[in-house]
Amino acid sequence: EEQEDIKDEL
Amino acid sequence: MNIFRLAGDMTHLFSVLVLLLKIHTIKSCAGISLKTQELYALVFTTRYLDIFTDFISLYNTVMKLIFLGSSFSIVWYIRRHKIVRRSYDKDQDTFRHYFLVIPCLVLAVFINHKFTFKEVMWTFSLYLEAVAILPQLVLLQRTRNIDNLTGQYVFLLGAYRALYILNWIYRHFTEPHYVHWITWIAGVVQTLLYADFFYYYFQSWKNNEKLQLPA
């Protein structure tokens, strides 16, 4: 499934 | 977290703190484009919509709060502070926000990773950040003289995004399926916009003369 791409960058 | 990203975040943090300190100590915003500062406040607002919903790390949340707080306080100083506002050169700082905001918004609606409000807002913030420095570069060319704090501010802003490009290259090779081509393109465009400024900045630094941008 489309993994929720975590926005871990500022 | 890798060294490139940490160095990029620290450079970015340093750039906004340099600017805030400059405005706070000498109570002047001469040479600073309010338009660019307002665009940055908009960039951080639309980028950090998830600050209270998605907790990544303490570092991430603290840095987001610092960037939001510093960008809005810089705008407040230039707009509201009774002494600082007198040094704002509104006749020269005439770049129209919407010339940048509207195209970025349209582009974000059509080119994004996923058509959701948060994702479109996040993509918009990336496109806007790439061009937000333009009013400042236009102002620097108009006023022709650049005091070295403003020069350092613009240089640090450009350097932070260049370090982020190294971070993206590093993550591309070390993390499987780390693909954010929109981020990469926006980041490269942003860094290229600084390229000519970098060239003149280094020239002036090397020849140890005042930084002059060609008209």
Side-chain angles (χ1 to χ4, degrees):
Chain A
E1 96 285 356
E2 159 92 0
Q3 106 272 3
E4 170 70 25
D5 60 334
I6 300 291
K7 308 235 179 320
D8 63 349
E9 294 181 347
L10 290 171
Chain B
M1 172 63 82
N2 61 64
I3 185 64
F4 302 113
R5 184 144 74 94
L6 185 63
D9 288 343
M10 291 305 109
T11 307
H12 193 194
L13 175 67
F14 193 54
S15 73
V16 292
L17 293 185
V18 155
L19 187 60
L20 196 55
L21 264 174
K22 162 185 168 163
I23 293 174
H24 178 74
T25 42
I26 63 175
K27 294 288 183 281
S28 161
C29 63
I32 302 297
S33 162
L34 172 62
K35 308 286 180 160
T36 285
Q37 298 310 316
E38 287 168 341
L39 289 174
Y40 277 131
L42 183 57
V43 165
F44 291 132
T45 307
T46 51
R47 174 126 9 131
Y48 301 152
L49 291 175
D50 62 352
I51 186 167
F52 298 116
T53 55
D54 305 345
F55 180 77
I56 308 280
S57 70
L58 185 64
Y59 169 83
N60 189 274
T61 304
V62 167
M63 291 296 277
K64 285 176 177 176
L65 289 171
I66 294 173
F67 286 137
L68 282 166
S70 56
S71 61
F72 278 97
S73 43
I74 288 169
V75 169
W76 177 84
Y77 261 112
I78 300 177
R79 276 190 171 277
R80 294 275 183 275
H81 190 282
K82 60 188 178 306
I83 304 174
V84 175
R85 62 189 293 184
R86 283 209 294 262
S87 58
Y88 173 53
D89 191 352
K90 64 178 175 301
D91 304 331
Q92 297 266 27
D93 190 22
T94 55
F95 204 105
R96 303 264 185 285
H97 289 132
Y98 47 79
F99 278 179
L100 296 173
V101 171
I102 292 169
C104 289
L105 206 49
V106 169
L107 201 61
V109 166
F110 288 107
I111 304 178
N112 52 59
H113 285 308
K114 205 168 35 180
F115 190 70
T116 63
F117 175 72
K118 266 175 63 175
E119 191 68 26
V120 169
M121 282 293 104
W122 181 79
T123 311
F124 164 70
S125 81
L126 276 177
Y127 296 150
L128 188 61
E129 185 188 1
V131 294
I133 195 65
L134 280 172
Q136 179 65 65
L137 294 180
V138 164
L139 184 67
L140 289 181
Q141 281 183 335
R142 280 193 184 151
T143 51
R144 299 217 30 96
N145 71 327
I146 298 170
D147 70 79
N148 55 17
L149 265 176
T150 311
Q152 277 154 9
Y153 166 68
V154 177
F155 172 75
L156 288 167
L157 266 188
Y160 123 76
R161 214 60 182 161
L163 286 165
Y164 251 73
I165 291 176
L166 297 181
N167 153 63
W168 293 323
I169 294 170
Y170 176 83
R171 293 189 75 174
H172 177 69
F173 287 114
T174 54
E175 294 174 28
H177 56 257
Y178 176 74
V179 178
H180 284 89
W181 55 272
I182 289 183
T183 313
W184 297 345
I185 293 171
V188 168
V189 165
Q190 180 171 339
T191 307
L192 290 178
L193 274 177
Y194 285 82
D196 68 323
F197 174 81
F198 277 140
Y199 172 73
Y200 292 109
Y201 192 77
F202 278 123
Q203 290 299 320
S204 74
W205 177 70
K206 198 171 60 179
N207 311 335
N208 192 17
E209 67 198 8
K210 210 150 165 46
L211 178 58
Q212 294 279 338
L213 291 179

